Amino acid sequence: MTLPRRIRAAAAAVLALAGSGLFASSAQAAPSCAGPASDTWINIVVDGVRNGNGLIAVTLYEDDSRKFLVKHGSLYVGRVDAAAPETRMCLFVPRPGVYAIAVYHDEDASGKINRSGVLGIPTEGFGFSNNPPTIASLPAFRSVRISIPRSNLSTRIHLKYP
C-alpha cells in the first residue's frame, strides 16, 4: 500500500527535521551522570591520572566562596573508577549557573583525600575547574568558578600529584 503524496512529503519533512537536531529526543537525554538527576549536566575529562587505582572523586560547589573546600560545603560528590591517563565522567548540576569543581584521585578508595602529617598537604592527585596554579596554596575561589549555562558542555581538569 502506498501513502498519498502529501503524507509521504510530510513524513519526509518530519524525518529531516528530526535528523537535524531541531527536535529534542531521547537521544539527547543525559547519560549516566553522577549526582541527583536534573536537566543540566557537564561532561568532565580528568587528565594526568597516573594509574587506574581507586576512584576519581568530583566535588561540585555552588557559587559561594564561603562553602568552597569546607566540610559539608559541597552540593555533592560524584565518584567513578579511575582510568589512566584520563578519566571521563558526567556530573549533574542542579540548574544552569556558576559552580566550582574540585577533583581528586582517591587511589585507595577511602572516600577522603589523603594528606601528609603536620602540614596536611594532599598525597593524592588533585585539580580544580579552570586548572588554576596551586603551587604554594589552594586556589582563589574566583579562579575556579565555571559557568555552566546549558547541558552537555565539557571541561578538562588536570590532576597534579605532590
Side-chain angles (χ1 to χ4, degrees), residues 34-52:
S38 76
D39 291 334
T40 309
W41 66 88
I42 186 165
N43 299 299
I44 301 169
V45 177
V46 180
D47 66 25
V49 180
R50 72 176 167 195
N51 60 55

Side-chain angles (χ1 to χ4, degrees), residues 17 46 83 107 113 124 158:
L17 281 173
V46 180
E107 290 180 273
I113 190 164
E124 296 176 303
H158 182 73

Side-chain angles (χ1 to χ4, degrees), residues 80-104:
V80 295
D81 291 336
E86 68 180 28
T87 301
R88 295 174 179 270
M89 73 169 301
C90 172
L91 187 71
F92 282 118
V93 297
R95 69 193 73 66
V98 176
Y99 297 90
I101 300 171
V103 177
Y104 73 94

Side-chain angles (χ1 to χ4, degrees), residues 85-144:
E86 68 180 28
T87 301
R88 295 174 179 270
M89 73 169 301
C90 172
L91 187 71
F92 282 118
V93 297
R95 69 193 73 66
V98 176
Y99 297 90
I101 300 171
V103 177
Y104 73 94
H105 185 182
D106 188 5
E107 290 180 273
D108 61 358
S110 65
K112 59 183 179 153
I113 190 164
N114 296 336
R115 299 176 180 274
S116 65
V118 178
L119 298 176
I121 297 171
T123 59
E124 296 176 303
F126 63 93
F128 300 94
S129 43
N130 299 326
N131 299 303
T134 55
I135 296 169
S137 66
L138 293 173
F141 180 72
R142 69 182 173 278
S143 69
V144 299

Side-chain angles (χ1 to χ4, degrees), residues 132-156:
T134 55
I135 296 169
S137 66
L138 293 173
F141 180 72
R142 69 182 173 278
S143 69
V144 299
R145 294 175 73 235
I146 183 170
S147 178
I148 305 172
R150 60 184 171 82
S151 285
N152 208 19
L153 296 175
S154 296
T155 190
R156 182 174 289 270

